[in-house]
Amino acid sequence: ELKEGLALNNGCQYANAWGALTVALMQRLIEAAALTAALGVQVMRGMGRPFRADLHALRPHQGSQVIARWVFELLDGYAFQDVSTDAKFEYDGRIQDPYNLRCAAQALGPCLDLVERAARTMTIEARSVTDNPIDLNASDADYDLDLITSGGHFHGMPLAVDAYGLLQAAGIMARLSNLRCARMVDSARNKGLGPQMRGPAPKATESGLMMAEYTTAGLCNHIWALAMPAHLMSVSTDAGQEDHVSMAASVAMRAHEAAQHLARILAIEMAFAAQAEHVRAQNPAEKPVATGKRAGDALRKISEIFPLVDADRELTWDIETLAERVLSGEVAQASGYSFARH
């Protein structure tokens, strides 16, 4: 009975608790990341063809195929969801989109794989015996003391490896989002959105969404700092008896923190996407383009939570509120899309 308490409070239980919580967040955030990729394609008037199923069948990594399907279907109704290069070139003179759009499925796909792998690992762990020593006797009949076995099920490396996978996924997702934000506020690359997304005739005294873009850069860098591979840096204890430890709890706790920051980055990008469509709609020189219903529904929900920026204002609490709705899954659900894994 005393030993049962120790079994429930060992390092694996603690690391797995943090890991399981982080998996739940990352499962919502990977859907949000696919949505922001689709919104980015639309508001930047990019191409949907890089997400066609027949293209990804030629390099059938499962996660990339799922992400590609999500993005392509989220773009349903968008004018350039599936048109020829010539048709797109006639619109803006561009043949290829930047990697942060065109390669989104190839970059986010491995992130989805990492999240799903971590989910399997944390589930196995929650259903496992991690005590030491372990009594291997199946019953009291013919009880054999020699079957009380000292093993290594308390070692947290299976958890550390996949908690680190969640950190890797967060770092990749954060950078893609940051890159798209940086492009949307760059008047040389944002296709008519003006400096800092202030439109074609901005007020010189206003900063638009400049500071929010800075915030994505700072948060992205912080996630990278959290991603130090501590599980590769074991420090011996107990006079060398415990000479290799996993540091799983540290990795899992940092993964959880990274997920919180990632939600803020994705929230900012969503706000940028809503602002971009607003600016385009107000610009008489903008060429009309059919937009998708799912993307439109998501953008309307985003604008309800994060009001459009018509003049400089404090953005902190709007970002925090939208990040909370991203973490809850509310914004992704507003698109009306199911995000089926298979």
Side-chain angles (χ1 to χ4, degrees):
E1 292 164 350
L2 292 174
K3 196 166 181 305
E4 183 74 5
L6 292 172
L8 292 172
N9 287 280
N10 67 25
C12 285
Q13 301 296 329
Y14 187 74
N16 192 51
W18 281 108
L21 288 170
T22 306
V23 164
L25 297 182
M26 291 295 289
Q27 286 175 326
R28 296 187 188 124
L29 290 172
I30 191 67
E31 294 175 359
L35 175 59
T36 58
L39 295 177
V41 170
Q42 178 173 287
V43 301
M44 292 302 291
R45 303 303 188 243
M47 293 278 282
R49 269 199 172 181
F51 304 96
R52 283 176 56 119
D54 53 358
L55 175 66
H56 284 270
L58 301 175
R59 194 190 189 198
H61 293 294
Q62 183 176 351
S64 295
Q65 288 183 297
V66 171
I67 295 291
R69 173 166 51 81
W70 289 354
V71 175
F72 192 78
E73 292 176 357
L74 283 163
L75 289 170
D76 186 45
Y78 167 56
F80 302 126
Q81 180 199 31
D82 193 14
V83 299
S84 69
T85 303
D86 288 344
K88 180 62 167 54
F89 187 79
E90 289 175 6
Y91 173 78
D92 62 5
R94 305 291 176 90
I95 294 175
Q96 294 181 332
D97 294 324
Y99 284 10
N100 61 69
L101 295 178
R102 181 164 34 115
C103 303
Q106 289 84 352
L108 291 176
C111 298
L112 175 59
D113 290 335
L114 287 168
V115 173
E116 295 301 303
R117 172 176 162 145
R120 290 191 295 272
T121 295
M122 303 304 164
T123 301
I124 290 170
E125 188 71 15
R127 295 171 174 167
S128 295
V129 175
T130 57
D131 194 14
N132 186 65
I134 294 173
D135 188 347
L136 297 178
N137 284 284
S139 69
D140 289 338
D142 302 320
Y143 195 86
D144 186 351
L145 286 175
D146 288 338
L147 288 179
I148 297 176
T149 304
S150 292
H153 280 359
F154 55 84
H155 202 286
M157 193 56 76
L159 299 172
V161 167
D162 284 314
Y164 189 72
L166 296 174
L167 270 169
Q168 290 186 84
I172 294 166
M173 293 157 66
R175 180 56 171 154
L176 281 177
S177 185
N178 162 253
L179 284 166
R180 290 192 292 262
C181 288
R183 197 173 189 87
M184 279 190 270
V185 297
D186 185 349
S187 59
R189 300 184 296 162
N190 64 16
K191 300 182 182 179
L193 294 174
Q196 308 302 334
M197 227 183 312
R198 289 178 289 157
K203 297 178 182 177
T205 58
E206 294 188 352
S207 60
L209 289 166
M210 177 178 69
M211 295 309 297
E213 186 247 329
Y214 286 6
T215 302
T216 68
L219 290 173
C220 183
N221 185 267
H222 188 65
I223 289 172
W224 292 345
L226 292 171
M228 183 187 74
H231 59 303
L232 304 183
M233 305 171 188
S234 175
V235 179
S236 298
T237 58
D238 193 19
Q241 175 70 7
E242 298 178 4
D243 57 3
H244 189 280
V245 294
S246 68
M247 308 306 297
S250 173
V251 179
M253 291 168 67
R254 285 186 282 114
H256 190 268
E257 181 181 347
Q260 304 282 339
H261 294 319
L262 176 59
R264 296 181 176 100
I265 294 173
L266 295 175
I268 291 170
E269 186 185 356
M270 289 178 179
F272 276 29
Q275 186 73 21
E277 285 291 14
H278 171 67
V279 170
R280 294 200 188 284
Q282 301 303 311
N283 183 4
E286 182 77 20
K287 297 177 184 178
V289 168
T291 55
K293 181 181 184 306
R294 287 168 175 150
D297 288 345
L299 290 172
R300 276 187 289 277
K301 172 58 71 173
I302 292 163
S303 296
E304 289 174 10
I305 303 166
F306 190 109
L308 296 168
V309 178
D310 291 321
D312 282 353
R313 69 169 193 265
E314 182 183 358
L315 300 176
T316 304
W317 301 114
D318 290 338
I319 292 171
E320 287 296 301
T321 301
L322 184 53
E324 290 174 3
R325 305 293 184 85
V326 169
L327 277 175
S328 73
E330 180 180 343
V331 179
Q333 290 168 8
S335 70
Y337 188 62
S338 65
F339 294 95
R341 261 59 173 176
H342 303 287

